[in-house]
Amino acid sequence: MLLEQLNELLADTSIELSEQQKQQLVEYVQLLDKWNKAYNLTSVRDPKEMMVKHIMDSLVVAPHLTGSHYIDVGTGPGLPGMVLAIARPDINFVLLDSLGKRIRFLMQVKHGLGIENVTPVQSRVEEYQPSVKLDGVLSRAFASLQDMIQWCSHLIDNQGVFLALKGQYPADELEHLPNGVSLSQDISLVVPKLEGERHLIILSKD
């Protein structure tokens, strides 16, 4: 049922996934549903809703990633990082969260689904020091753009970018960006079967 739903949703996008990738996404939703009952990882309870609100909402970012190393800060149960890691095996992702139960879940997903290109890390973002040069910082429903820049600026050099998944266009936040950071791109994302606006805001250091 979930695989059928995923195929229908993908048909409305230009995203192409192998059968193995689709199966991994289905199994990820099944694990999320199973663990959610005990660990309360997401407020979305219905696996079919997860497929739209979590999987597709994360997948639409995949075509816009360049480079080879990203960090997903405040990843929660792996959104968008785990989904993007499945869709983009050519990119390495650090999945950062301060809560142990979420990291335990992500380790289970990593080993259970055989996903080699993710590294779950339990840490507060301001204390984390990456071991490799990162191309970008990802966040979904994490914080304001100002907070994201303040807490995550040490994670990237002047070539790296901040990628924030937002609902409505954050005009007010963009007006108050700190010195040294500017809007590089605003990409309107279309998520099949999801109501409301979605924007990928890409910020770069000047």
Side-chain angles (χ1 to χ4, degrees):
M1 285 294 288
L2 287 175
L3 183 59
E4 205 173 286
Q5 182 195 9
L6 178 59
N7 278 323
E8 284 175 14
L9 291 166
L10 285 170
D12 289 336
T13 74
S14 58
I15 299 166
E16 291 186 13
L17 299 176
S18 69
E19 291 308 314
Q20 183 191 3
Q21 286 169 309
K22 292 176 191 174
Q23 194 56 47
Q24 284 175 320
L25 289 170
V26 167
E27 287 178 28
Y28 170 62
V29 169
Q30 289 169 338
L31 280 171
L32 185 53
D33 180 45
K34 179 181 166 187
W35 277 60
N36 205 33
K37 292 175 173 67
Y39 287 88
N40 201 25
L41 297 168
T42 168
S43 59
V44 180
R45 299 289 173 197
D46 179 0
K48 284 186 173 177
E49 266 191 76
M50 288 179 189
M51 197 58 86
V52 174
K53 291 182 177 175
H54 290 337
I55 302 304
M56 294 308 299
D57 196 41
S58 299
L59 270 183
V60 290
V61 178
H64 304 291
L65 300 180
T66 57
S68 56
H69 289 91
Y70 282 82
I71 184 168
D72 178 13
V73 293
T75 187
L79 302 164
M82 186 63 80
V83 177
L84 291 171
I86 291 171
R88 295 292 303 270
D90 55 317
I91 297 176
N92 291 295
F93 293 87
V94 173
L95 308 184
L96 192 78
D97 204 276
S98 59
L99 274 187
K101 66 179 183 179
R102 294 175 182 157
I103 297 303
R104 284 193 294 278
F105 169 70
L106 292 171
M107 293 299 284
Q108 180 71 34
V109 173
K110 174 184 167 122
H111 296 306
L113 306 188
I115 301 169
E116 302 291 334
N117 57 325
V118 291
T119 306
V121 175
Q122 183 180 352
S123 173
R124 294 173 63 86
V125 64
E126 56 270 35
E127 293 165 3
Y128 179 71
Q129 295 295 333
S131 57
V132 296
K133 177 180 168 294
L134 297 170
D135 296 297
V137 175
L138 283 157
S139 91
R140 176 182 186 262
F142 171 65
S144 69
L145 295 177
Q146 286 84 347
D147 286 346
M148 185 185 181
I149 293 162
Q150 185 183 339
W151 294 337
C152 304
S153 213
H154 68 286
L155 299 174
I156 52 173
D157 61 18
N158 289 336
Q159 307 304 312
V161 292
F162 301 95
L163 299 98
L165 278 77
K166 293 283 186 178
Q168 291 179 317
Y169 182 74
D172 191 46
E173 290 179 35
L174 288 166
E175 270 180 34
H176 298 97
L177 289 179
N179 290 336
V181 176
S182 56
L183 176 63
S184 171
Q185 248 184 314
D186 161 39
I187 300 169
S188 283
L189 301 171
V190 179
V191 183
K193 301 282 189 283
L194 188 68
E195 297 291 317
E197 290 179 59
R198 301 302 279 157
H199 290 268
L200 176 62
I201 302 295
I202 303 179
L203 306 174
S204 56
K205 294 184 179 182
D206 300 336

